[in-house]
Amino acid sequence: MQQKKLTLIRQPLGDRVLDVFFYTIMGLLAVVCAYPIWYVLVASISDSAYVNSGALILLPRGVHYEGYKYILKDASLWQGYLNTIIYVVGGTVFGLAVTLPAGYALSRKDFPGRGIFTFYLVFTMYFSGGLIPTYLVVRSLGLINTRLVLILLGSVSVYNMILVRTFFSSTIPEELREAAFVDGCTNTRFFLQFVLPLSKAIIAVIGMYLAVGHWNSYYNAMIYCMDRKLQPLQLYLRQLLFTNVDIDTGLDQELMAKQAQIVSVIKYAVIVVATLPILCIYPFLQKYFVQGVMIGSLKG
């Protein structure tokens, strides 16, 4: 049998030019976003003389690992790592435990006072008591210098509740709820057995928001936790960026100058160590992240 030849439809010249233009713009944006990460990684393993002089551009020069050797034996770094993991896990779990039921309740049209609660929550997005009243409340609750304050603060966001509410309103059919209630299903059982399994995308999105927020947070720790044993990794990084690494004054002048030069390399190494876990987790959640944001952003 004679095979039929496939006829290829060529794009018009204007469309091809437009495609090249868009791909070029997106490529440049990708380079602009990726280069700072690449530079920090390269600078963390390069000779400090090239880093401090600005001669380092694309590839590492004078490769060594002195910065990583310094931070890997620093007990404060690992204590900060442990604290940050505790705050990320605790804050994410607590935030999801509050945000998901609240978003589901606000998505139900038969929820009494739905409009009043929505107005009250949205009002707090634009008007808040401020730092001093918040500090007084935290102090009156006895949460100063405790891990609990860093888990609670920043875990619940009205924006996340609205995102979850919109997602539930757009994706959970009303007919499914009615059929489940006809069979004797309660609100709690319907939420746990039907709503949550159908909401993996938005759970991944909110979980990612909360985890990244807690991982990068240092301000609350700076205000409410003076105990260094409770401070997270990012506060350790901030203190390192704004201060100098301790230099042994017992060394001769040449060794002191050399040790002072590697301070910047140590800072870059700490940035890499502090950023690496989030960069490793994000690719596994990306497919849920894009889907959840697009669905949750629709007007409910």
Side-chain angles (χ1 to χ4, degrees):
M1 296 179 62
Q2 187 178 1
Q3 295 181 350
K4 294 183 179 180
K5 294 183 178 180
L6 297 177
T7 303
L8 299 178
I9 301 176
R10 299 185 60 183
Q11 282 185 315
L13 179 60
D15 290 348
R16 283 182 286 171
V17 172
L18 196 61
D19 287 344
V20 172
F21 173 76
F22 284 136
Y23 278 115
T24 302
I25 295 298
M26 295 304 297
L28 292 175
L29 289 176
V31 171
V32 170
C33 294
Y35 180 73
I37 301 175
W38 174 253
Y39 180 83
V40 170
L41 179 61
V42 169
S44 67
I45 59 174
S46 297
D47 191 286
S48 58
Y50 297 107
V51 177
N52 296 331
S53 64
L56 189 66
I57 299 177
L58 188 60
L59 297 177
R61 303 178 65 179
V63 177
H64 66 82
Y65 303 97
E66 294 298 327
Y68 291 100
K69 291 179 181 179
Y70 177 88
I71 63 175
L72 290 179
K73 64 181 181 181
D74 189 354
S76 299
L77 173 73
W78 297 113
Q79 183 64 46
Y81 239 116
L82 176 62
N83 293 335
T84 297
I85 292 174
I86 294 174
Y87 301 146
V88 168
V89 174
T92 302
V93 172
F94 176 76
L96 289 174
V98 174
T99 303
L100 294 176
Y104 171 69
L106 294 176
S107 69
R108 291 281 300 271
K109 296 181 180 180
D110 59 340
F111 174 54
R114 175 191 179 195
I116 297 175
F117 282 105
T118 302
F119 173 80
Y120 173 77
L121 292 173
V122 173
F123 183 84
T124 62
M125 292 179 63
Y126 300 98
F127 304 97
S128 63
L131 176 61
I132 295 178
T134 303
Y135 183 87
L136 294 177
V137 171
V138 171
R139 188 181 65 176
S140 64
L141 295 175
L143 296 177
I144 300 295
N145 275 329
T146 63
R147 296 188 188 275
L148 190 58
V149 65
L150 299 183
I151 293 176
L152 296 179
L153 293 181
S155 296
V156 180
S157 168
V158 177
Y159 173 79
N160 290 341
M161 288 185 185
I162 295 176
L163 201 64
V164 171
R165 182 204 64 178
T166 307
F167 180 89
F168 288 154
S169 300
S170 305
T171 59
I172 306 299
E174 186 67 19
E175 294 77 10
L176 177 63
R177 186 183 69 85
E178 293 177 355
F181 276 52
V182 168
D183 291 337
C185 185
T186 61
N187 278 310
T188 303
R189 183 179 178 185
F190 178 75
F191 175 74
L192 295 177
Q193 295 187 359
F194 292 90
V195 175
L196 291 184
L198 296 174
S199 306
K200 294 179 180 178
I202 197 64
I203 293 175
V205 171
I206 302 302
M208 189 69 179
Y209 281 165
L210 294 172
V212 172
H214 280 283
W215 187 271
N216 293 328
S217 177
Y218 71 90
Y219 186 75
N220 288 333
M222 187 171 60
I223 299 297
Y224 302 108
C225 282
M226 283 66 71
D227 188 352
R228 296 182 64 90
K229 294 182 180 180
L230 301 178
Q231 293 177 352
L233 178 64
Q234 296 302 330
L235 189 56
Y236 169 82
L237 174 59
R238 179 186 180 277
Q239 294 169 349
L240 183 64
L241 292 176
F242 283 94
T243 59
N244 291 325
V245 179
D246 292 334
I247 298 175
D248 188 358
T249 56
L251 302 175
D252 57 39
Q253 294 296 324
E254 182 179 355
L255 292 178
M256 287 178 61
K258 183 178 179 181
Q259 191 172 2
Q261 286 182 347
I262 68 171
V263 169
S264 60
V265 177
I266 293 173
K267 293 177 180 179
Y268 284 121
V270 173
I271 294 174
V272 172
V273 173
T275 309
L276 190 61
I278 293 296
L279 294 179
C280 294
I281 293 174
Y282 179 77
F284 297 99
L285 300 178
Q286 183 180 9
K287 60 179 180 179
Y288 298 111
F289 189 81
V290 176
Q291 179 185 356
V293 169
M294 292 302 296
I295 296 177
S297 63
L298 298 176
K299 183 178 180 180

